[in-house]
Each structure stands twice: as C-alpha cells, then as structure tokens.
Amino acid sequence: MNKTAFDEPLFASLKPGLTSFCYRMLGSMDDAVQETSIRVWQSWSTFRQDSSFKTWVYRIASNLCLDKLRQSKRRALPVDLFDPVIKYTYV
C-alpha cells in the first residue's frame, strides 16, 4: 500500500499524452482523461510501485477506454444494403 500523497503535478504532466491515447482508442473527444484521473486518485492507495507511475496510469486509461467501447451501442446498419454499383432495370 502506498502511503505517499497523490502526485497531482506528475499526473498533469501525463495529460497531453493521455488525451491523445484516449482519442485514438475512442475516436472522439470524450471525458476519458477526467475519468482516468478520478480512477487514479481513487485507487492511489493500491499503487504498489511494481511498475512506473506512467505505465500504471496508462493501464487504467486503457481499461477505462475498453470499458467504454464495450458499453457503447453498436452502430446501426444503413437501410440501403445494396451495392451502389448494381443498376436495376424494370421490365
């Protein structure tokens, strides 16, 4: 268990990279970075320092983005499923 205080300046230095990472995973500007910061803050006491802080934060962000992708609804198929190249002739 980590007894030190949460290092907010260190997390702030990772925000630009996290923003890019989350954007690439989700394809939109989402509030994933803010939610990542909340998850990091909430689970700070469980950080065992087996890995670097950056690796740990990116793992949290990755899991959060994957959760969001699983929860999102699948896109609906368009109504017209025919190939646009096919030309129909009426008899």
Side-chain angles (χ1 to χ4, degrees), residues 2 4 6-7 11 14 17 22 26-27 32-33 39 46 48 55 57-58 60 68-69 72-73:
N2 192 353
T4 61
F6 174 67
D7 194 349
F11 183 82
L14 298 176
C22 292
L26 298 173
V33 175
R39 285 190 185 185
T46 63
R48 297 183 311 227
T55 302
V57 169
Y58 271 78
I60 291 172
K68 284 183 169 288
L69 289 171
S72 68
K73 295 180 181 177

Side-chain angles (χ1 to χ4, degrees), residues 2 10 14 40 44 47-60:
N2 192 353
L10 182 57
L14 298 176
V40 167
W44 178 249
F47 178 47
R48 297 183 311 227
Q49 298 178 345
D50 292 339
S51 62
S52 72
F53 178 72
K54 182 177 179 180
T55 302
W56 183 66
V57 169
Y58 271 78
R59 183 63 160 172
I60 291 172

